[in-house]
């Protein structure tokens, strides 16, 4: 905006007030530049150009990445690392590694995962450091080094292939499930965290024990509790007819808490 001398005289600006105004404008300029830079970098998974900078959680966009990734990747002091990575819709992962040729070959870790930009990050587990993968165009996951760059060794591939035919909810699948469990009017319902997929609880297994534990855990009758179980996906007939429904046969009760808060709602801070 242009101010004439007459304009300055009519508003009676003093030299001190002019200097104060200029200082405020100059101090605000770096903040505006920083905000513009941050807005330009925030690109959730699946949008914009390739972006390996882990800047912003993609939220619901992470759900399509849930699945199983597997392959044998190179190893400096063994014959290869047979790797199986399961990204679950509840923002938890399981990583199984077998170091071929070593006396004690197996490594297992679990924790939370996130996706920012085009990068999947696995929360550190035990003495294992943070691990990051770049999402490839074919939805494979390519291992990144400590600097966030793709691992590169002549003639060797560090990419885990997405097992597209694998359904984490297929009948017969055995894995951990986290979600909200409710028992009301002789019916038990489990809603999985992340996917909001509903399952009945099969009478076989630990269904009766779940019911008893729910009675002593929930804050109010008919209200959900948080539940983590090892279970097998099965199917059963509904009470009202011959229609079948998906159900979980609970093999082991791992955790039950009165507050039904899912892992993605209380993510642990990741190492930068």
């Amino acid at each position: 905006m242009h101010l004439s001398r007459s304009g300055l005289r009519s508003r009676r600006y003093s030299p001190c007030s002019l200097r104060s105004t200029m200082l405020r404008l100059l101090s605000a300029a770096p903040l505006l530049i920083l905000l513009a830079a941050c807005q330009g970098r925030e690109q959730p998974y699946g949008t914009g150009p390739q972006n390996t900078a882990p800047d912003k959680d993609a939220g619901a966009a992470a759900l399509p990445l849930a699945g199983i990734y597997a392959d044998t990747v190179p190893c400096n002091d063994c014959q290869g690392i047979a790797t199986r990575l399961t990204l679950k819709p509840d923002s938890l992962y399981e990583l199984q590694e077998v170091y071929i040729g070593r006396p004690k070959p197996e490594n297992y870790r679990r924790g939370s995962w996130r996706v920012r930009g085009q990068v999947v990050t696995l929360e550190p587990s035990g003495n294992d450091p943070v691990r990051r993968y770049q999402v490839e165009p074919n939805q494979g996951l390519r291992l990144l080094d400590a600097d966030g760059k793709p691992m590169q060794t002549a003639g060797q591939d560090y990419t885990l292939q997405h097992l597209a035919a694998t359904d984490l909810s297929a009948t017969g699948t055995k894995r951990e499930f986290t979600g909200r469990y409710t028992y009301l009017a002789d019916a038990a319902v489990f809603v999985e965290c992340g996917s909001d997929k509903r399952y009945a609880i099969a009478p076989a297994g630990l269904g009766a024990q779940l019911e008893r534990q729910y009675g002593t855990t929930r804050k109010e009758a008919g209200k959900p509790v948080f539940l983590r179980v090892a279970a097998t996906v099965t199917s059963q007939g509904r009470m009202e007819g011959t229609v079948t429904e998906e159900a979980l046969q609970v093999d082991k009760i791992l955790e039950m808490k009165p507050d039904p808060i899912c892992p993605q709602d209380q993510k642990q801070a990741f190492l930068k």
Side-chain angles (χ1 to χ4, degrees):
M1 183 176 77
H2 177 69
L3 291 175
S4 64
R5 291 184 179 179
S6 59
L8 288 173
R9 282 197 300 270
S10 63
R11 297 185 181 215
R12 295 182 180 179
Y13 284 92
S14 69
C16 290
S17 64
L18 283 174
R19 190 173 79 174
S20 176
T21 302
M22 291 299 294
L23 287 173
R24 286 198 300 270
L25 291 173
L26 289 173
S27 63
L31 178 59
L32 294 173
I33 294 172
L34 178 61
L35 288 174
C38 290
Q39 290 173 352
R41 283 177 15 212
E42 291 183 351
Q43 296 174 334
Y45 166 72
T47 63
Q50 191 79 354
N51 175 19
T52 58
D55 293 319
K56 181 179 169 118
D57 278 320
L63 188 57
L65 289 176
I68 298 176
Y69 301 80
D71 213 326
T72 300
V73 298
C75 175
N76 292 331
D77 57 356
C78 67
Q79 300 171 19
I81 307 172
T83 306
R84 183 181 179 89
L85 172 62
T86 302
L87 301 180
K88 299 189 291 182
D90 57 6
S91 297
L92 298 177
Y93 75 86
E94 293 182 12
L95 179 64
Q96 299 166 290
E97 297 174 313
V98 177
Y99 290 75
I100 303 172
R102 283 189 182 178
K104 296 182 179 179
E106 295 185 2
N107 178 46
Y108 174 82
R109 60 187 278 183
R110 65 186 304 275
S112 299
W113 68 279
R114 72 179 182 190
V115 55
R116 292 184 177 184
Q118 304 292 329
V119 173
V120 170
T121 302
L122 307 185
E123 177 193 52
S125 176
N127 294 325
D128 291 336
V130 64
R131 197 172 299 195
R132 294 187 174 96
Y133 297 86
Q134 178 176 295
V135 181
E136 297 290 275
N138 62 354
Q139 211 176 356
L141 298 179
R142 186 175 182 184
L143 184 63
L144 302 178
D145 62 20
D147 296 323
K149 298 179 181 179
M151 293 284 289
Q152 293 182 349
T153 304
Q156 295 184 322
D157 190 6
Y158 290 84
T159 302
L160 300 179
Q161 304 302 322
H162 180 224
L163 304 184
T166 302
D167 182 358
L168 293 179
S169 300
T171 299
T173 299
K174 294 178 178 289
R175 64 178 177 91
E176 284 189 14
F177 290 82
T178 60
R180 299 176 175 91
Y181 170 85
T182 309
Y183 184 85
L184 181 66
D186 295 329
V189 176
F190 177 85
V191 180
E192 185 180 21
C193 290
S195 68
D196 290 334
K197 188 175 180 64
R198 295 171 64 89
Y199 295 91
I201 299 296
L206 301 179
Q209 184 177 334
L210 267 182
E211 179 186 341
R212 292 192 297 270
Q213 191 167 334
Y214 171 79
T216 61
T217 303
R218 55 84 176 139
K219 292 182 176 179
E220 186 179 344
K223 296 298 183 181
V225 298
F226 172 82
L227 178 65
R228 182 167 66 92
V229 295
T232 304
V233 180
T234 183
S235 62
Q236 63 182 21
R238 291 185 176 177
M239 295 178 62
E240 61 268 22
T242 58
V243 179
T244 60
E245 61 182 353
E246 291 180 299
L248 295 181
Q249 178 179 308
V250 178
D251 304 314
K252 186 176 183 180
I253 301 172
L254 301 172
E255 188 177 9
M256 182 184 285
K257 298 186 294 187
D259 294 317
I261 302 175
C262 285
Q264 60 265 44
D265 298 329
Q266 53 177 5
K267 282 185 179 179
Q268 299 182 28
F270 284 91
L271 298 178
K272 298 297 183 181

